[in-house]
Amino acid sequence: MTDDRVLASPGFLAAAREVMAATGGGAAFHLRGPRTSGRRLWEIGSALRPGARREGVTFLVNDRVDLALVLEADGAHLGERSLRTADARAILGPGALLGCSVHDAPGAGSAGEGAVSGAGADFLVAGPVFATPSHPGRSGIGPEGLGRIVTAGRGIPVVAIGGITAKTIPAVLGAGAHGVAVVRSAWESVAVRNAVLKLMRELGGTEEGS
């Protein structure tokens, strides 16, 4: 997952392409930039979408359903202020992957009800699990809170976010998470590719060339 600072950093496009080539179908690229202009997001997405398709990387756009449609992304992720999942589904079509953010078990339960009816999310992003600078003043829901969300989600895959590192991955997997979403653990590393592959090893993913 990206943020505005990551998108503006020198060498971002090259690093993103390198990560896609190394991870292939084992990873998803989540284009997120809340304060980045729509035009710039389109430029970045247009530069990266062909490579993602070639490498088998799932390509998601945060919040901007319009950009997801224009970029022919695999799907979109919806936050608390985004379109309703049913409306996004109507725009993107039945084949699109749709995720939504949840922060507690009741929110996951509502998402689960929507999924049962066919109008809900395909996956949930739950957190922050641990304390993170992106959510100052919040201690995180912890693996216990994550586990409650997993249970309430009625079988919808849950992706853990917030303070995720290679060391914390075993705890979130133990709580029932399907996967993880990271920003700092990948993009703040000196070698982004190696950092992502290390995370994938902890998740049980496949390294390049194996």
Short mmCIF file of all heavy atoms in Angstrom, two decimals, residues 1-20 29-32 40-41 43-45 47-48 59 183 186-187 192:
data_model
loop_
_atom_site.label_atom_id
_atom_site.label_comp_id
_atom_site.label_asym_id
_atom_site.label_seq_id
_atom_site.Cartn_x
_atom_site.Cartn_y
_atom_site.Cartn_z
N MET A 1 0.85 -1.19 0.00
CA MET A 1 0.00 0.00 0.00
C MET A 1 0.89 1.24 0.00
O MET A 1 1.95 1.26 0.62
CB MET A 1 -0.90 0.00 1.24
CG MET A 1 -1.85 1.17 1.32
SD MET A 1 -2.86 1.16 2.81
CE MET A 1 -3.93 -0.25 2.49
N THR A 2 0.44 2.28 -0.69
CA THR A 2 1.21 3.51 -0.74
C THR A 2 0.51 4.60 0.07
O THR A 2 -0.64 4.44 0.50
CB THR A 2 1.36 4.01 -2.19
OG1 THR A 2 0.07 4.37 -2.71
CG2 THR A 2 1.99 2.96 -3.08
N ASP A 3 1.21 5.71 0.28
CA ASP A 3 0.60 6.91 0.81
C ASP A 3 1.16 8.09 0.01
O ASP A 3 1.95 7.90 -0.93
CB ASP A 3 0.82 7.07 2.31
CG ASP A 3 2.28 7.16 2.71
OD1 ASP A 3 3.15 7.39 1.83
OD2 ASP A 3 2.57 7.02 3.91
N ASP A 4 0.76 9.30 0.35
CA ASP A 4 1.19 10.47 -0.43
C ASP A 4 2.70 10.64 -0.44
O ASP A 4 3.30 10.95 -1.47
CB ASP A 4 0.53 11.73 0.13
CG ASP A 4 -0.98 11.69 0.04
OD1 ASP A 4 -1.51 11.70 -1.08
OD2 ASP A 4 -1.64 11.62 1.10
N ARG A 5 3.32 10.41 0.73
CA ARG A 5 4.76 10.58 0.82
C ARG A 5 5.50 9.56 -0.04
O ARG A 5 6.47 9.88 -0.71
CB ARG A 5 5.19 10.44 2.28
CG ARG A 5 6.67 10.62 2.55
CD ARG A 5 6.92 10.57 4.05
NE ARG A 5 6.30 9.40 4.64
CZ ARG A 5 6.88 8.19 4.65
NH1 ARG A 5 8.07 8.03 4.09
NH2 ARG A 5 6.28 7.18 5.21
N VAL A 6 5.01 8.33 -0.04
CA VAL A 6 5.62 7.28 -0.85
C VAL A 6 5.50 7.62 -2.33
O VAL A 6 6.47 7.51 -3.10
CB VAL A 6 4.96 5.93 -0.56
CG1 VAL A 6 5.37 4.89 -1.60
CG2 VAL A 6 5.32 5.45 0.84
N LEU A 7 4.32 8.06 -2.75
CA LEU A 7 4.11 8.37 -4.16
C LEU A 7 4.99 9.51 -4.65
O LEU A 7 5.35 9.55 -5.83
CB LEU A 7 2.63 8.73 -4.40
CG LEU A 7 1.62 7.61 -4.16
CD1 LEU A 7 0.21 8.13 -4.40
CD2 LEU A 7 1.90 6.40 -5.04
N ALA A 8 5.34 10.44 -3.75
CA ALA A 8 6.15 11.59 -4.14
C ALA A 8 7.64 11.34 -4.03
O ALA A 8 8.44 12.19 -4.43
CB ALA A 8 5.77 12.79 -3.26
N SER A 9 8.04 10.19 -3.52
CA SER A 9 9.46 9.94 -3.29
C SER A 9 10.19 9.64 -4.59
O SER A 9 9.63 9.01 -5.49
CB SER A 9 9.64 8.78 -2.32
OG SER A 9 9.12 7.57 -2.87
N PRO A 10 11.44 10.10 -4.72
CA PRO A 10 12.23 9.81 -5.92
C PRO A 10 12.44 8.30 -6.06
O PRO A 10 12.66 7.59 -5.08
CB PRO A 10 13.57 10.52 -5.64
CG PRO A 10 13.26 11.54 -4.59
CD PRO A 10 12.17 10.95 -3.76
N GLY A 11 12.33 7.82 -7.26
CA GLY A 11 12.57 6.41 -7.51
C GLY A 11 11.40 5.50 -7.19
O GLY A 11 11.54 4.27 -7.26
N PHE A 12 10.24 6.08 -6.86
CA PHE A 12 9.11 5.24 -6.48
C PHE A 12 8.69 4.29 -7.60
O PHE A 12 8.50 3.10 -7.38
CB PHE A 12 7.91 6.10 -6.07
CG PHE A 12 6.62 5.32 -6.08
CD1 PHE A 12 6.38 4.35 -5.12
CD2 PHE A 12 5.67 5.52 -7.07
CE1 PHE A 12 5.20 3.60 -5.14
CE2 PHE A 12 4.50 4.79 -7.10
CZ PHE A 12 4.26 3.83 -6.13
N LEU A 13 8.54 4.81 -8.81
CA LEU A 13 8.06 3.96 -9.91
C LEU A 13 9.00 2.80 -10.17
O LEU A 13 8.57 1.66 -10.36
CB LEU A 13 7.89 4.79 -11.18
CG LEU A 13 6.71 5.77 -11.20
CD1 LEU A 13 6.71 6.56 -12.50
CD2 LEU A 13 5.39 5.02 -11.05
N ALA A 14 10.30 3.07 -10.14
CA ALA A 14 11.27 1.99 -10.37
C ALA A 14 11.18 0.95 -9.27
O ALA A 14 11.23 -0.27 -9.54
CB ALA A 14 12.68 2.58 -10.46
N ALA A 15 11.06 1.40 -8.02
CA ALA A 15 10.96 0.46 -6.91
C ALA A 15 9.69 -0.37 -7.00
O ALA A 15 9.70 -1.58 -6.75
CB ALA A 15 11.01 1.22 -5.58
N ALA A 16 8.58 0.28 -7.37
CA ALA A 16 7.32 -0.44 -7.48
C ALA A 16 7.39 -1.51 -8.58
O ALA A 16 6.91 -2.63 -8.39
CB ALA A 16 6.19 0.54 -7.77
N ARG A 17 7.99 -1.18 -9.69
CA ARG A 17 8.13 -2.16 -10.77
C ARG A 17 9.01 -3.33 -10.34
O ARG A 17 8.73 -4.49 -10.67
CB ARG A 17 8.71 -1.48 -12.01
CG ARG A 17 7.77 -0.49 -12.68
CD ARG A 17 8.35 0.00 -14.00
NE ARG A 17 7.45 0.91 -14.68
CZ ARG A 17 7.65 2.24 -14.76
NH1 ARG A 17 8.73 2.78 -14.21
NH2 ARG A 17 6.78 3.01 -15.39
N GLU A 18 10.06 -3.04 -9.59
CA GLU A 18 10.95 -4.09 -9.13
C GLU A 18 10.23 -5.04 -8.17
O GLU A 18 10.39 -6.25 -8.24
CB GLU A 18 12.17 -3.47 -8.43
CG GLU A 18 13.23 -4.48 -8.03
CD GLU A 18 14.42 -3.84 -7.37
OE1 GLU A 18 14.30 -2.70 -6.87
OE2 GLU A 18 15.48 -4.48 -7.33
N VAL A 19 9.43 -4.47 -7.28
CA VAL A 19 8.68 -5.29 -6.34
C VAL A 19 7.67 -6.16 -7.07
O VAL A 19 7.52 -7.35 -6.78
CB VAL A 19 7.97 -4.40 -5.30
CG1 VAL A 19 6.95 -5.21 -4.50
CG2 VAL A 19 8.99 -3.76 -4.37
N MET A 20 6.98 -5.60 -8.04
CA MET A 20 6.00 -6.37 -8.81
C MET A 20 6.66 -7.55 -9.51
O MET A 20 6.13 -8.67 -9.52
CB MET A 20 5.29 -5.48 -9.82
CG MET A 20 4.32 -4.49 -9.22
SD MET A 20 3.52 -3.50 -10.52
CE MET A 20 2.55 -2.37 -9.52
N PHE A 29 -0.92 -4.72 -5.25
CA PHE A 29 -0.45 -3.34 -5.18
C PHE A 29 -1.66 -2.45 -4.95
O PHE A 29 -2.61 -2.47 -5.72
CB PHE A 29 0.27 -2.93 -6.47
CG PHE A 29 0.73 -1.50 -6.47
CD1 PHE A 29 1.93 -1.16 -5.88
CD2 PHE A 29 -0.06 -0.51 -7.03
CE1 PHE A 29 2.34 0.17 -5.86
CE2 PHE A 29 0.35 0.81 -7.02
CZ PHE A 29 1.56 1.15 -6.43
N HIS A 30 -1.63 -1.68 -3.87
CA HIS A 30 -2.77 -0.86 -3.46
C HIS A 30 -2.38 0.60 -3.64
O HIS A 30 -1.61 1.16 -2.85
CB HIS A 30 -3.08 -1.17 -2.00
CG HIS A 30 -4.30 -0.51 -1.47
ND1 HIS A 30 -5.09 -1.08 -0.50
CD2 HIS A 30 -4.88 0.69 -1.73
CE1 HIS A 30 -6.09 -0.27 -0.20
NE2 HIS A 30 -5.98 0.81 -0.94
N LEU A 31 -2.88 1.23 -4.70
CA LEU A 31 -2.57 2.62 -5.01
C LEU A 31 -3.42 3.54 -4.14
O LEU A 31 -4.62 3.66 -4.31
CB LEU A 31 -2.84 2.90 -6.50
CG LEU A 31 -2.60 4.33 -6.98
CD1 LEU A 31 -1.13 4.72 -6.82
CD2 LEU A 31 -3.03 4.48 -8.44
N ARG A 32 -2.75 4.19 -3.19
CA ARG A 32 -3.44 5.04 -2.23
C ARG A 32 -2.68 6.35 -2.08
O ARG A 32 -1.47 6.35 -1.84
CB ARG A 32 -3.54 4.34 -0.88
CG ARG A 32 -4.11 5.19 0.25
CD ARG A 32 -4.13 4.40 1.54
NE ARG A 32 -4.53 5.23 2.67
CZ ARG A 32 -3.69 5.96 3.40
NH1 ARG A 32 -2.39 5.95 3.11
NH2 ARG A 32 -4.13 6.68 4.40
N ARG A 40 -2.52 13.05 -10.90
CA ARG A 40 -1.25 12.39 -10.58
C ARG A 40 -1.46 10.91 -10.29
O ARG A 40 -0.66 10.07 -10.71
CB ARG A 40 -0.60 13.07 -9.38
CG ARG A 40 0.77 12.48 -9.01
CD ARG A 40 1.72 12.53 -10.16
NE ARG A 40 3.01 11.91 -9.83
CZ ARG A 40 3.82 11.36 -10.74
NH1 ARG A 40 3.48 11.34 -12.03
NH2 ARG A 40 4.96 10.84 -10.36
N LEU A 41 -2.56 10.58 -9.60
CA LEU A 41 -2.85 9.18 -9.36
C LEU A 41 -3.07 8.43 -10.67
O LEU A 41 -2.63 7.29 -10.83
CB LEU A 41 -4.09 9.05 -8.47
CG LEU A 41 -3.93 9.44 -7.00
CD1 LEU A 41 -5.28 9.45 -6.32
CD2 LEU A 41 -2.97 8.50 -6.29
N GLU A 43 -1.72 9.23 -13.55
CA GLU A 43 -0.41 9.09 -14.20
C GLU A 43 0.36 7.93 -13.60
O GLU A 43 0.97 7.13 -14.33
CB GLU A 43 0.38 10.39 -14.03
CG GLU A 43 -0.18 11.56 -14.83
CD GLU A 43 0.50 12.88 -14.49
OE1 GLU A 43 1.25 12.93 -13.49
OE2 GLU A 43 0.28 13.86 -15.23
N ILE A 44 0.36 7.85 -12.28
CA ILE A 44 1.09 6.76 -11.62
C ILE A 44 0.44 5.42 -11.94
O ILE A 44 1.13 4.44 -12.28
CB ILE A 44 1.11 6.99 -10.10
CG1 ILE A 44 1.94 8.22 -9.76
CG2 ILE A 44 1.67 5.77 -9.37
CD1 ILE A 44 1.82 8.67 -8.32
N GLY A 45 -0.88 5.37 -11.86
CA GLY A 45 -1.58 4.14 -12.17
C GLY A 45 -1.36 3.68 -13.60
O GLY A 45 -1.17 2.49 -13.87
N ALA A 47 1.22 4.25 -15.40
CA ALA A 47 2.59 3.79 -15.54
C ALA A 47 2.79 2.39 -14.97
O ALA A 47 3.63 1.62 -15.47
CB ALA A 47 3.55 4.77 -14.85
N LEU A 48 2.01 2.04 -13.94
CA LEU A 48 2.23 0.77 -13.24
C LEU A 48 1.24 -0.34 -13.63
O LEU A 48 1.57 -1.52 -13.48
CB LEU A 48 2.15 0.99 -11.74
CG LEU A 48 3.24 1.87 -11.13
CD1 LEU A 48 3.00 2.06 -9.64
CD2 LEU A 48 4.63 1.29 -11.39
N PHE A 59 -4.09 -5.38 -8.79
CA PHE A 59 -3.94 -3.92 -8.77
C PHE A 59 -5.22 -3.30 -8.23
O PHE A 59 -6.29 -3.43 -8.82
CB PHE A 59 -3.66 -3.41 -10.19
CG PHE A 59 -3.18 -1.99 -10.25
CD1 PHE A 59 -1.84 -1.69 -10.19
CD2 PHE A 59 -4.10 -0.95 -10.37
CE1 PHE A 59 -1.40 -0.37 -10.25
CE2 PHE A 59 -3.67 0.37 -10.43
CZ PHE A 59 -2.31 0.66 -10.36
N VAL A 183 2.82 -0.20 4.70
CA VAL A 183 3.36 0.99 4.05
C VAL A 183 4.81 1.15 4.48
O VAL A 183 5.73 0.91 3.71
CB VAL A 183 2.54 2.26 4.41
CG1 VAL A 183 3.15 3.48 3.71
CG2 VAL A 183 1.10 2.11 3.98
N ALA A 186 7.58 -1.62 4.09
CA ALA A 186 8.10 -1.83 2.73
C ALA A 186 8.85 -0.60 2.23
O ALA A 186 10.04 -0.65 1.96
CB ALA A 186 6.97 -2.17 1.78
N TRP A 187 8.14 0.53 2.17
CA TRP A 187 8.66 1.69 1.45
C TRP A 187 9.73 2.47 2.20
O TRP A 187 10.48 3.23 1.59
CB TRP A 187 7.51 2.61 1.06
CG TRP A 187 6.50 1.94 0.21
CD1 TRP A 187 5.25 1.55 0.57
CD2 TRP A 187 6.66 1.50 -1.15
NE1 TRP A 187 4.61 0.93 -0.47
CE2 TRP A 187 5.45 0.88 -1.54
CE3 TRP A 187 7.71 1.60 -2.07
CZ2 TRP A 187 5.27 0.36 -2.82
CZ3 TRP A 187 7.52 1.07 -3.34
CH2 TRP A 187 6.32 0.46 -3.71
N VAL A 192 13.63 -1.98 -0.94
CA VAL A 192 12.19 -2.24 -0.85
C VAL A 192 11.88 -3.67 -1.28
O VAL A 192 11.11 -4.39 -0.63
CB VAL A 192 11.42 -1.24 -1.72
CG1 VAL A 192 9.93 -1.55 -1.70
CG2 VAL A 192 11.66 0.18 -1.22
#
